[in-house]
């Protein structure tokens, strides 16, 4: 299964290195952790979308692909500093010809989350989003996390400032190529985020959720999240 990884952002809130995807966490670069976890979950090839400091990221993932024995192609998003993350996925549109995994380079997660997505029914011309229904978690930055409101598995709304929600977006998707026209429709409405495309699909009952069932995940967005990410991984090694 093809896996697209968005690795275009600068990550200015995490100042440990010049490249957020290449920032080591417990000695392993974030994007390498993402790729290895995806392989464990069943990915068989990768498309990595670069942006800020594209050259070292491309060199790293290309060499990692050789070491892991898995095909890796790289797409550059020249608009990485101007528009939302949906634009990064849009730049990879020519390679989206079948259902694919969609991941973020700076998210930690267990491979079991991918297993749950693959076992669920993928809506025709739609997508599945892995969500965490434990909205009382103290380690979540409530001001930054993307919130999800769903009912009977159907996404009703998604965004960062919704007052009413019952799950968090983990950044792990299983999608059909139908997300591309949904992105374009969202762009036309002035929204270049992935959430904008999810909203378009949800309006047609084509966006569903899969609860992660207590599995581990973390968005490594800033120094506080980085430290908690380290603690979370260490606790799972004990």
């Amino acid at each position: 299964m093809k896996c697209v990884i968005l690795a275009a952002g600068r990550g200015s809130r995490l100042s440990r290195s010049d490249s957020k995807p290449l920032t080591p966490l417990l000695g392993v670069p974030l994007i390498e952790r993402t790729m290895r976890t995806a392989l464990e979950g069943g990915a068989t090839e990768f498309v990595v979308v670069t942006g800020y400091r594209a050259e070292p990221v491309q060199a790293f993932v290309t060499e990692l692909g050789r070491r892991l024995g898995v095909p890796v192609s790289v797409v550059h998003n020249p608009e990485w500093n101007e528009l939302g993350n949906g634009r990064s996925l849009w730049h990879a549109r020519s390679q989206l010809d079948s259902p694919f995994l969609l991941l973020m380079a700076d998210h930690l997660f267990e491979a079991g989350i991918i297993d749950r997505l693959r076992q669920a029914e993928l809506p025709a011309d739609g997508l599945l989003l892995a969500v965490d229904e434990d909205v009382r978690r103290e380690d979540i930055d409530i001001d930054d996390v993307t919130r999800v409101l769903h009912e009977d598995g159907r996404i009703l709304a998604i965004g960062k400032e919704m007052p009413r929600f019952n799950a968090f977006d983990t950044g792990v998707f299983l999608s059909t190529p139908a997300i591309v026209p949904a992105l374009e429709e969202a762009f036309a409405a002035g929204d270049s985020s992935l959430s904008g495309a999810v909203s378009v699909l949800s309006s047609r009952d084509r966006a569903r959720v899969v609860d992660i069932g207590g599995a581990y995940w973390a968005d490594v967005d800033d120094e506080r999240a980085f430290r908690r990410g380290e603690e979370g991984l260490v606790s799972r090694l004990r």
Side-chain angles (χ1 to χ4, degrees):
M1 175 172 285
K2 186 172 291 184
C3 176
V4 179
I5 301 176
L6 304 187
R10 182 173 184 176
S12 58
R13 290 190 291 161
L14 186 64
S15 56
R16 290 174 177 256
S17 78
D18 290 336
S19 171
K20 187 176 183 182
L22 300 182
T23 300
L25 190 148
L26 298 180
V28 179
L30 287 170
I31 195 166
E32 180 171 348
R33 288 190 176 278
T34 300
M35 291 175 67
R36 288 183 179 275
T37 304
L39 283 174
E40 186 180 347
T44 56
E45 61 178 303
F46 291 95
V47 178
V48 177
V49 184
T50 63
Y52 178 71
R53 290 189 58 78
E55 293 82 1
V57 174
Q58 177 169 343
F60 180 83
V61 298
T62 300
E63 174 58 26
L64 180 61
R66 281 196 286 266
R67 285 193 279 123
L68 296 176
V70 61
V72 176
S73 59
V74 178
V75 175
H76 181 61
N77 172 15
E79 305 169 291
W80 66 267
N81 200 32
E82 303 169 18
L83 299 171
N85 56 0
R87 203 71 179 181
S88 287
L89 180 58
W90 183 82
H91 278 283
R93 65 195 181 281
S94 65
Q95 302 199 43
L96 307 181
D97 54 1
S98 60
F100 63 96
L101 291 170
L102 172 60
L103 306 174
M104 313 298 127
D106 58 351
H107 284 204
L108 306 174
F109 60 97
E110 294 182 31
I113 295 176
I114 295 177
D115 292 336
R116 283 176 172 263
L117 286 175
R118 296 183 68 187
Q119 292 167 12
E121 182 179 355
L122 178 63
D125 297 326
L127 60 76
L128 293 170
L129 168 60
V131 299
D132 186 350
E133 295 182 345
D134 183 5
V135 296
R136 298 179 181 272
R137 283 180 51 175
E138 295 182 355
D139 61 329
I140 295 294
D141 183 350
I142 194 63
D143 294 323
D144 184 65
V145 69
T146 298
R147 309 170 188 184
V148 179
L149 179 65
H150 67 90
E151 182 177 356
D152 297 329
R154 294 172 169 82
I155 296 178
L156 303 180
I158 184 170
K160 288 186 177 291
E161 299 179 1
M162 302 189 310
R164 183 170 169 242
F165 59 95
N166 54 11
F168 296 135
D169 171 359
T170 69
V172 182
F173 297 80
L174 179 60
S175 180
T176 67
I179 197 170
V180 175
L183 283 166
E184 293 169 347
E185 188 171 331
F187 296 163
D191 188 344
S192 58
S193 68
L194 277 175
S195 295
V198 175
S199 294
V200 169
L201 292 175
S202 69
S203 70
R204 295 170 185 144
D205 194 23
R206 297 296 183 185
R208 310 290 174 83
V209 300
V210 174
D211 178 50
I212 63 174
Y216 175 72
W217 73 281
D219 179 358
V220 186
D221 240 358
D222 55 22
E223 291 296 325
R224 180 170 174 265
F226 186 93
R227 291 191 296 272
R228 287 191 168 179
E230 288 182 318
E231 294 167 0
L233 289 180
V234 168
S235 69
R236 279 153 181 80
L237 296 174
R238 292 172 181 166

